[in-house]
Amino acid sequence: MTIQKLTETAEFIKLNSKTKPRIGIILGSGLGHFVQHMTVEATIPFHEIPHFIPPTVEGHSGNLILGTIDNVPIVVLQGRLHYYEGHSMDVVAYPTRTMATLGLEILIVTNSAGGYGEGMNAGDFMIIEDHINMMGTNPLMGPNIKELGPRFPDMTKAYDPELILIAEKIFRAQKTFFHKGIYVGVTGPTYETPSEIKMFKSLGGKAVGMSTVPEVIAANHMGLRVAAISCITNLAAGISENKLTHAEVTETAKKVEQKFCGFLKEYVGKI
Ligand code: HPA
């Protein structure tokens, strides 16, 4: 990653869209239909964007979409890159850095996650309060690009407390049950062993997933305010007797998609 590449990518997007986004949203699996709530100005497939790499996972189409929701200018990543696809962390964080370069103030990250917090059920939502990076690496490894941010970024409030409060208020107003907690980020692509889940629980975690951590680190590095919401698509390994499947994950995500989209739409209007 170089600042020159990033500038080339951002310039290409600016040539294709007049939208100057204030908020960026990364849509997790099964949330792709959120764009139906937008007034879309431009849809740019990842493969057309210089230095972008298309995602390979089922259920993740790759588009960068610019437009508005209730007149708020936003940019949406429909599909994301995962570390388990074999990309470097730098590549995984590239679309986030691109969005930040467009001038964002706030990034909203969504994901699917396995839940192991008390009282969790498939289909619940969790506002992420903090994360534990179990990926064994970090997107900021390597020379620091000082135009983007500091060598040693503070992560004390990686998830903006004010944005967390607003998310809580909206969930309450919509009478949607939610949790708040710590997300543990792992590489995948295997689901966890029951022992790993026991360990994450003992560390204070409530959900586990294979994304989000790289993007949240890159966004914090570049000074964005970040919020992240998990859809608990399944109970984590060993919490229920069921075998974990990707089909269960996408099925649950689809079931709650409308609710999740309703939340997000409101959220964009209130932050
Ligand atoms: N583990 C890791 N990632 C996930 C899970 C899980 O149980 N569910 C959805 N993404």
Side-chain angles (χ1 to χ4, degrees):
M1 221 272 306
T2 60
I3 199 81
Q4 190 195 335
K5 272 190 178 176
L6 203 54
T7 310
E8 282 168 12
T9 304
E11 287 307 316
F12 173 85
I13 294 163
K14 286 178 190 165
L15 276 180
N16 283 277
S17 163
K18 290 190 297 291
T19 304
K20 289 195 170 57
R22 184 171 87 82
I23 299 175
I25 304 176
I26 302 177
L27 297 177
S29 42
L31 268 181
H33 291 116
F34 176 69
V35 296
Q36 289 170 1
H37 297 264
M38 285 175 70
T39 306
V40 173
E41 196 232 338
T43 300
I44 316 173
F46 281 5
H47 65 84
E48 289 182 8
I49 304 176
H51 313 304
F52 258 49
I53 290 170
T56 59
V57 200
E58 259 176 79
H60 294 266
S61 55
N63 290 300
L64 186 115
I65 301 166
L66 295 114
T68 56
I69 279 201
D70 295 337
N71 297 317
V72 181
I74 63 173
V75 55
V76 171
L77 277 191
Q78 192 184 38
R80 59 145 63 93
L81 304 172
H82 298 84
Y83 189 55
Y84 62 71
E85 292 174 77
H87 306 300
S88 68
M89 284 296 250
D90 203 43
V91 167
V92 173
Y94 195 79
T96 300
R97 287 171 162 159
T98 297
M99 292 198 293
T101 305
L102 298 175
L104 296 191
E105 188 187 317
I106 292 173
L107 178 70
I108 306 172
V109 184
T110 67
N111 63 44
S112 295
Y116 49 92
E118 292 306 323
M120 271 189 177
N121 288 299
D124 288 353
F125 297 108
M126 186 182 94
I127 302 170
I128 301 181
E129 288 182 299
D130 203 357
H131 75 225
I132 296 175
N133 179 6
M134 284 285 183
M135 293 182 153
T137 181
N138 189 301
L140 307 187
M141 299 275 276
N144 183 50
I145 301 179
K146 60 179 182 308
E147 291 88 345
L148 302 189
R151 169 75 293 186
F152 302 109
D154 175 38
M155 292 287 282
T156 311
K157 292 179 180 173
Y159 299 83
D160 188 280
E162 209 176 306
L163 297 179
I164 290 173
L165 273 178
I166 298 170
E168 286 181 58
K169 275 189 195 151
I170 294 172
F171 276 132
R172 282 203 195 93
Q174 296 187 336
K175 302 200 183 332
T176 299
F177 181 65
F178 68 94
H179 305 267
K180 268 198 308 182
I182 296 169
Y183 173 94
V184 176
V186 294
T187 64
T190 53
Y191 290 114
E192 300 65 42
T193 62
S195 303
E196 286 165 346
I197 296 299
K198 267 189 206 153
M199 174 178 74
F200 297 160
K201 197 169 177 176
S202 77
L203 294 177
K206 287 190 184 175
V208 60
M210 306 173 193
S211 66
T212 302
V213 164
E215 293 120 323
V216 169
I217 291 174
N220 270 275
H221 180 230
M222 292 179 72
L224 301 192
R225 297 170 65 204
V226 176
I229 316 285
S230 293
C231 170
I232 305 299
T233 49
N234 57 282
L235 292 178
I239 304 288
S240 89
E241 293 293 296
N242 298 349
K243 234 178 131 138
L244 303 191
T245 62
H246 185 57
E248 182 192 359
V249 169
T250 50
E251 237 167 74
T252 309
K254 209 174 276 170
K255 267 190 213 153
V256 299
E257 184 179 15
Q258 278 315 314
K259 232 187 204 178
F260 209 164
C261 288
F263 164 81
L264 269 183
K265 191 171 173 317
E266 193 74 17
Y267 202 31
V268 167
K270 295 248 157 64
I271 57 180

